[in-house]
mmCIF file of all heavy atoms in Angstrom:
data_model
loop_
_atom_site.group_PDB
_atom_site.id
_atom_site.type_symbol
_atom_site.label_atom_id
_atom_site.label_comp_id
_atom_site.label_asym_id
_atom_site.label_seq_id
_atom_site.Cartn_x
_atom_site.Cartn_y
_atom_site.Cartn_z
ATOM 1 N N PRO A 29 -7.937 37.565 -18.538
ATOM 2 C CA PRO A 29 -8.478 37.866 -19.876
ATOM 3 C C PRO A 29 -7.741 39.022 -20.534
ATOM 4 O O PRO A 29 -7.313 40.024 -19.913
ATOM 5 C CB PRO A 29 -9.936 38.264 -19.609
ATOM 6 C CG PRO A 29 -9.966 38.756 -18.167
ATOM 7 C CD PRO A 29 -8.805 37.924 -17.511
ATOM 8 N N VAL A 30 -7.602 38.956 -21.788
ATOM 9 C CA VAL A 30 -7.041 40.025 -22.600
ATOM 10 C C VAL A 30 -8.083 40.925 -23.035
ATOM 11 O O VAL A 30 -9.044 40.492 -23.791
ATOM 12 C CB VAL A 30 -6.231 39.446 -23.755
ATOM 13 C CG1 VAL A 30 -5.604 40.656 -24.634
ATOM 14 C CG2 VAL A 30 -5.131 38.490 -23.327
ATOM 15 N N PRO A 31 -8.084 42.276 -22.753
ATOM 16 C CA PRO A 31 -9.126 43.177 -23.169
ATOM 17 C C PRO A 31 -9.171 43.358 -24.662
ATOM 18 O O PRO A 31 -8.163 43.357 -25.281
ATOM 19 C CB PRO A 31 -8.739 44.504 -22.407
ATOM 20 C CG PRO A 31 -7.295 44.346 -22.200
ATOM 21 C CD PRO A 31 -7.014 42.951 -21.956
ATOM 22 N N LYS A 32 -10.373 43.401 -25.204
ATOM 23 C CA LYS A 32 -10.605 43.445 -26.641
ATOM 24 C C LYS A 32 -10.202 44.840 -27.105
ATOM 25 O O LYS A 32 -9.687 45.024 -28.268
ATOM 26 C CB LYS A 32 -11.957 43.127 -27.025
ATOM 27 C CG LYS A 32 -12.223 42.936 -28.532
ATOM 28 C CD LYS A 32 -13.562 42.365 -28.846
ATOM 29 C CE LYS A 32 -13.748 42.259 -30.325
ATOM 30 N NZ LYS A 32 -15.128 41.741 -30.589
ATOM 31 N N PHE A 33 -10.533 45.828 -26.323
ATOM 32 C CA PHE A 33 -10.344 47.293 -26.720
ATOM 33 C C PHE A 33 -9.659 48.048 -25.566
ATOM 34 O O PHE A 33 -9.964 47.732 -24.416
ATOM 35 C CB PHE A 33 -11.695 47.948 -26.987
ATOM 36 C CG PHE A 33 -12.442 47.513 -28.250
ATOM 37 C CD1 PHE A 33 -13.509 46.617 -28.135
ATOM 38 C CD2 PHE A 33 -11.955 47.812 -29.495
ATOM 39 C CE1 PHE A 33 -14.114 46.149 -29.243
ATOM 40 C CE2 PHE A 33 -12.609 47.337 -30.641
ATOM 41 C CZ PHE A 33 -13.663 46.508 -30.493
ATOM 42 N N ASN A 34 -8.794 48.894 -25.869
ATOM 43 C CA ASN A 34 -8.338 49.934 -24.969
ATOM 44 C C ASN A 34 -9.308 51.136 -25.232
ATOM 45 O O ASN A 34 -9.061 51.935 -26.092
ATOM 46 C CB ASN A 34 -6.845 50.291 -25.258
ATOM 47 C CG ASN A 34 -6.357 51.283 -24.194
ATOM 48 O OD1 ASN A 34 -7.043 52.185 -23.812
ATOM 49 N ND2 ASN A 34 -5.175 51.155 -23.808
ATOM 50 N N TYR A 35 -10.256 51.272 -24.330
ATOM 51 C CA TYR A 35 -11.323 52.289 -24.595
ATOM 52 C C TYR A 35 -10.803 53.657 -24.568
ATOM 53 O O TYR A 35 -11.269 54.550 -25.279
ATOM 54 C CB TYR A 35 -12.497 52.042 -23.621
ATOM 55 C CG TYR A 35 -13.280 50.799 -23.890
ATOM 56 C CD1 TYR A 35 -13.420 49.795 -22.923
ATOM 57 C CD2 TYR A 35 -13.835 50.551 -25.160
ATOM 58 C CE1 TYR A 35 -14.154 48.659 -23.101
ATOM 59 C CE2 TYR A 35 -14.619 49.431 -25.392
ATOM 60 C CZ TYR A 35 -14.751 48.438 -24.361
ATOM 61 O OH TYR A 35 -15.429 47.284 -24.635
ATOM 62 N N SER A 36 -9.833 53.934 -23.699
ATOM 63 C CA SER A 36 -9.346 55.226 -23.700
ATOM 64 C C SER A 36 -8.637 55.695 -24.982
ATOM 65 O O SER A 36 -8.757 56.745 -25.518
ATOM 66 C CB SER A 36 -8.225 55.454 -22.527
ATOM 67 O OG SER A 36 -8.910 55.273 -21.352
ATOM 68 N N GLU A 37 -7.919 54.650 -25.557
ATOM 69 C CA GLU A 37 -7.300 54.918 -26.873
ATOM 70 C C GLU A 37 -8.351 55.091 -27.927
ATOM 71 O O GLU A 37 -8.189 56.004 -28.848
ATOM 72 C CB GLU A 37 -6.405 53.747 -27.247
ATOM 73 C CG GLU A 37 -5.091 53.761 -26.438
ATOM 74 C CD GLU A 37 -4.149 52.565 -26.938
ATOM 75 O OE1 GLU A 37 -4.475 51.917 -27.910
ATOM 76 O OE2 GLU A 37 -3.143 52.440 -26.234
ATOM 77 N N GLU A 38 -9.442 54.340 -27.888
ATOM 78 C CA GLU A 38 -10.480 54.464 -28.921
ATOM 79 C C GLU A 38 -11.186 55.775 -28.748
ATOM 80 O O GLU A 38 -11.526 56.494 -29.804
ATOM 81 C CB GLU A 38 -11.473 53.361 -28.816
ATOM 82 C CG GLU A 38 -10.859 51.986 -29.074
ATOM 83 C CD GLU A 38 -10.259 51.806 -30.508
ATOM 84 O OE1 GLU A 38 -10.795 52.463 -31.411
ATOM 85 O OE2 GLU A 38 -9.309 51.021 -30.508
ATOM 86 N N PHE A 39 -11.439 56.221 -27.514
ATOM 87 C CA PHE A 39 -11.984 57.543 -27.361
ATOM 88 C C PHE A 39 -11.159 58.598 -27.926
ATOM 89 O O PHE A 39 -11.582 59.644 -28.467
ATOM 90 C CB PHE A 39 -12.229 57.817 -25.815
ATOM 91 C CG PHE A 39 -13.516 57.286 -25.259
ATOM 92 C CD1 PHE A 39 -14.062 56.093 -25.712
ATOM 93 C CD2 PHE A 39 -14.239 57.952 -24.277
ATOM 94 C CE1 PHE A 39 -15.238 55.638 -25.245
ATOM 95 C CE2 PHE A 39 -15.490 57.492 -23.811
ATOM 96 C CZ PHE A 39 -15.948 56.293 -24.307
ATOM 97 N N LYS A 40 -9.779 58.498 -27.730
ATOM 98 C CA LYS A 40 -8.887 59.517 -28.268
ATOM 99 C C LYS A 40 -8.929 59.459 -29.848
ATOM 100 O O LYS A 40 -8.884 60.629 -30.437
ATOM 101 C CB LYS A 40 -7.533 59.191 -27.779
ATOM 102 C CG LYS A 40 -6.420 60.260 -28.203
ATOM 103 C CD LYS A 40 -6.667 61.577 -27.505
ATOM 104 C CE LYS A 40 -5.415 62.512 -27.584
ATOM 105 N NZ LYS A 40 -5.059 62.830 -28.971
ATOM 106 N N LYS A 41 -9.106 58.363 -30.451
ATOM 107 C CA LYS A 41 -9.177 58.244 -31.878
ATOM 108 C C LYS A 41 -10.384 58.959 -32.387
ATOM 109 O O LYS A 41 -10.314 59.717 -33.359
ATOM 110 C CB LYS A 41 -9.157 56.753 -32.378
ATOM 111 C CG LYS A 41 -7.922 56.020 -32.277
ATOM 112 C CD LYS A 41 -8.127 54.598 -32.716
ATOM 113 C CE LYS A 41 -6.999 53.691 -32.483
ATOM 114 N NZ LYS A 41 -7.241 52.291 -32.922
ATOM 115 N N ILE A 42 -11.480 58.767 -31.716
ATOM 116 C CA ILE A 42 -12.675 59.407 -32.110
ATOM 117 C C ILE A 42 -12.506 60.946 -31.926
ATOM 118 O O ILE A 42 -12.933 61.676 -32.886
ATOM 119 C CB ILE A 42 -13.863 58.939 -31.309
ATOM 120 C CG1 ILE A 42 -14.214 57.448 -31.583
ATOM 121 C CG2 ILE A 42 -15.135 59.774 -31.442
ATOM 122 C CD1 ILE A 42 -15.161 56.780 -30.637
#
Side-chain angles (χ1 to χ4, degrees):
V30 178
K32 190 174 181 182
F33 294 101
N34 182 321
Y35 291 122
S36 294
E37 287 184 4
E38 297 302 328
F39 273 36
K40 184 69 164 61
K41 286 180 187 177
I42 290 168

